[in-house]
Amino acid sequence: MKTRAITGFFFIAVLIAVVLFGPYAFIPFFTLVGVYSVYEFYEMVQSGQTKPLWAIGIFSALLGLCLLSLVLLDMLATENLLWIFAFAFVLYIAALFRKTVSVIHDIAYTLFGLLYVAIPFGLFICLGFVSGTYDPYIPLGFLILLWTNDTGAYLAGKSFGRRKLFERISPNKTWEGFIGGLVLAVAVSLNLARYFDSLVSWQWLTMAIIIGSFGTLGDLVESMLKRNTGVKDSGKLLPGHGGLLDRFDGLLMAAPLVYLFLKFFVF
């Protein structure tokens, strides 16, 4: 428990510092986090029957996030992002030379890693630029709401948890925990506008509802994936916490939806 607390404290401190230090710290850091998370995904799903083309997948994630970064920094035209689709053809051609048990599974899991992990991290990076220029308080507010939802869910579940949310997938999650996480995230969101004026109260509140609802579902989806692959944690990078995917599972589903909300209804 002590190791978990120390790791969590320093991890949160690093994330806050990276976001506040500006785009040239924020973008490279979360690009590397996204790419490493793709690597964790491929390691997790690899088995005797399934062997993702991890080198192509990881390089595609790195290239895609780097191209996105250059577009966000106005160093590259948006249409250059289309080059990433060329790697789908590289993947198909490389698969022709494989002699594994199920090549189609290999291709499918390789592409799924990009869809499930790389694209959500790309959209989280986009949150920093959704207003047109880099604004650290939107991604920072997102992370704060994600953390408060997790904290509220843990405390409420530990204290009042009775009714299982998805016992088949995650036996420890309860409806009381889900509601507790959502309530705490909503409470914090109502105060964020006082300190972060990037958004007004109703916009932070909507973000909290999206994160509280779909962040929990993202956690459940990763639990389902781990249960299906027979692993306890996505990795061992963070002592007491597991891997990066274990820490950012809620982001994978919440970040794309928050980005769409802000893009279509706010900016």
Side-chain angles (χ1 to χ4, degrees):
M1 192 66 179
K2 182 180 179 181
T3 301
R4 181 181 175 86
I6 293 172
T7 301
F9 173 79
F10 282 105
F11 186 59
I12 289 173
V14 168
L15 292 180
I16 293 173
V18 163
V19 174
L20 294 177
F21 279 171
Y24 294 101
F26 174 71
I27 289 176
F29 180 83
F30 279 100
T31 293
L32 292 177
V33 169
V35 172
Y36 190 84
S37 297
V38 171
Y39 164 76
E40 284 190 345
F41 173 83
Y42 290 148
E43 283 289 298
M44 193 162 48
V45 301
Q46 184 164 284
S47 67
Q49 300 294 317
T50 303
K51 298 186 182 298
L53 291 86
W54 63 270
I56 295 175
I58 289 172
F59 186 77
S60 298
L62 178 61
L63 177 67
L65 291 173
C66 286
L67 288 175
L68 175 64
S69 302
L70 293 174
V71 169
L72 292 172
L73 294 170
D74 292 324
M75 296 180 180
L76 205 64
T78 305
E79 55 266 25
N80 284 285
L81 287 173
L82 296 174
W83 282 107
I84 193 64
F85 289 103
F87 279 84
F89 297 102
V90 173
L91 176 65
Y92 302 152
I93 294 169
L96 292 173
F97 296 92
R98 303 203 104 196
K99 298 179 180 179
T100 52
V101 175
S102 181
V103 177
I104 299 301
H105 283 179
D106 299 344
I107 295 173
Y109 273 107
T110 305
L111 292 174
F112 182 53
L114 300 177
L115 176 66
Y116 174 60
V117 182
I119 291 177
F121 269 104
L123 290 173
F124 174 74
I125 293 172
C126 288
L127 283 179
F129 298 83
V130 70
S131 63
T133 57
Y134 182 66
D135 184 344
Y137 297 106
I138 293 178
L140 181 57
F142 177 97
L143 291 174
I144 289 171
L145 293 175
L146 193 65
W147 296 331
T148 53
N149 178 66
D150 289 344
T151 302
Y154 174 78
L155 294 176
K158 214 50 168 159
S159 303
F160 312 109
R162 296 291 183 274
R163 300 170 183 83
K164 301 298 182 182
L165 184 59
F166 271 97
E167 187 171 9
R168 180 175 58 86
I169 301 298
S170 184
N172 295 325
K173 285 189 169 44
T174 62
W175 280 104
E176 291 83 1
F178 169 72
I179 294 170
L182 187 59
V183 168
L184 185 58
V186 165
V188 170
S189 74
L190 295 175
N191 290 281
L192 278 181
R194 297 172 56 187
Y195 305 99
F196 300 164
D197 60 1
S198 305
L199 303 172
V200 297
S201 295
W202 76 266
Q203 294 161 351
W204 285 119
L205 173 63
T206 305
M207 274 184 60
I209 293 171
I210 294 172
I211 292 169
S213 302
F214 291 93
T216 301
L217 290 175
D219 191 335
L220 287 167
V221 168
E222 203 227 357
S223 295
M224 177 177 65
L225 180 63
K226 289 191 292 187
R227 190 169 284 268
N228 186 69
T229 55
V231 300
K232 183 178 182 295
D233 297 314
S234 66
K236 299 179 180 179
L237 185 65
L238 303 173
H241 288 266
L244 288 179
L245 270 182
D246 295 321
R247 293 301 88 214
F248 288 106
D249 49 9
L251 177 150
L252 300 181
M253 192 171 290
L257 294 173
V258 168
Y259 177 78
L260 290 173
F261 160 67
L262 294 178
K263 193 67 176 175
F264 287 103
F265 297 101
V266 178
F267 297 107

